[in-house]
Amino acid sequence: MRLVLVGPPGAGKGTQAKNLSAALAVPHISTGDLFRAHISEQTPLGLEVQEYLDAGELVPDEVTNKMVRERLAEPDAANGFLLDGFPRNVAQADVLGALLASEGHELDAVLEFRIDEEIVVERLLARGRADDKEDVIRHRQQVYRTETAPLLEYYSRIVVTIDAVGDVTEISERALAALRGEK
Ligand code: AMP
């Protein structure tokens, strides 16, 4: 299965991605995690992207797309993947679509995590990651609304929406049922 997760920062995508990747037997590919690994190892890419993560800005598309292209070329992603945090705008979605089409593939579904912005802001304030300062959190929500939320329209044909409020296990079950086409 080739799956993309979309939802505001703090919706629990990362946690759900881990559960869903195990249940669906596909690798979990998180661009945020990949960037953070580069930053902690102080690679050239890490040094280049750090300021964007600190500010809650999107890393430029050329940089992000190249990293994703390389990751998707690894053998474990050949038969499916679960993308968490990519694409984050329509230009990235176009690149992903072209990349998959060039191999005769396409996305199977886009899973939308629906949750109120105030709930996620509260959660993120409690989480305490380096980019979880309130002004940066608010900015990331704004970037989600303006850059990423339009993907729901872009992918409307394949979007599956679930309520992302509740118990972690329950939400995973909800997601798997929704992907199987149950409502
Ligand atoms: P996340 O862990 O998905 O919340 O991502 C953390 C940060 O990494 C974001 O605020 C961006 O700075 C950067 N980032 C992650 N994914 C992308 C992407 N697809 N495009 C651009 N920047 C990204």
Side-chain angles (χ1 to χ4, degrees):
M1 174 168 241
R2 295 180 174 83
L3 182 65
V4 163
L5 305 189
V6 174
K13 291 191 301 297
T15 308
Q16 290 302 325
K18 288 189 183 70
N19 288 351
L20 296 175
S21 115
L24 300 168
V26 290
H28 168 205
I29 301 176
S30 156
T31 42
D33 286 352
L34 292 172
F35 285 134
R36 281 183 291 276
H38 278 281
I39 290 171
S40 71
E41 289 159 26
Q42 299 198 302
T43 68
L45 175 65
L47 297 174
E48 187 181 347
V49 304
Q50 172 139 38
E51 59 180 312
Y52 295 99
L53 275 88
D54 288 347
E57 298 286 358
L58 294 186
V59 171
D61 288 346
E62 320 79 85
V63 177
T64 307
N65 291 336
K66 177 169 183 285
M67 181 178 76
V68 170
R69 197 182 291 278
E70 288 170 3
R71 179 63 189 86
L72 288 180
E74 287 177 30
D76 66 335
N79 295 315
F81 51 75
L82 191 163
L83 277 169
D84 162 14
F86 183 93
R88 238 7 187 246
N89 59 32
V90 167
Q92 293 180 2
D94 282 336
V95 167
L96 177 64
L99 175 66
L100 294 176
S102 73
E103 293 167 351
H105 296 141
E106 60 181 3
L107 289 178
D108 295 299
V110 170
L111 184 62
E112 179 200 2
F113 289 75
R114 192 164 289 176
I115 187 164
D116 190 79
E117 184 168 323
E118 285 312 308
I119 300 178
V120 295
V121 170
E122 286 305 311
R123 273 194 201 172
L124 291 174
L125 283 170
R127 181 171 74 175
R129 203 169 76 187
D131 55 352
D132 285 342
K133 294 176 192 69
E134 183 158 4
D135 56 334
V136 178
I137 290 173
R138 297 262 176 213
H139 186 62
R140 297 213 315 273
Q141 299 298 329
Q142 192 198 326
V143 170
Y144 176 76
R145 268 187 265 119
T146 58
E147 299 283 319
T148 310
L151 290 177
L152 298 168
E153 185 62 33
Y154 179 98
Y155 285 130
S156 60
R157 216 174 44 83
I158 54 167
V159 169
V160 173
T161 301
I162 60 158
D163 176 3
V165 181
D167 170 75
V168 171
T169 313
E170 204 177 284
I171 296 169
S172 303
E173 282 164 7
R174 221 178 266 166
L176 290 167
L179 291 171
R180 282 193 301 265
E182 298 163 17
K183 288 286 166 192

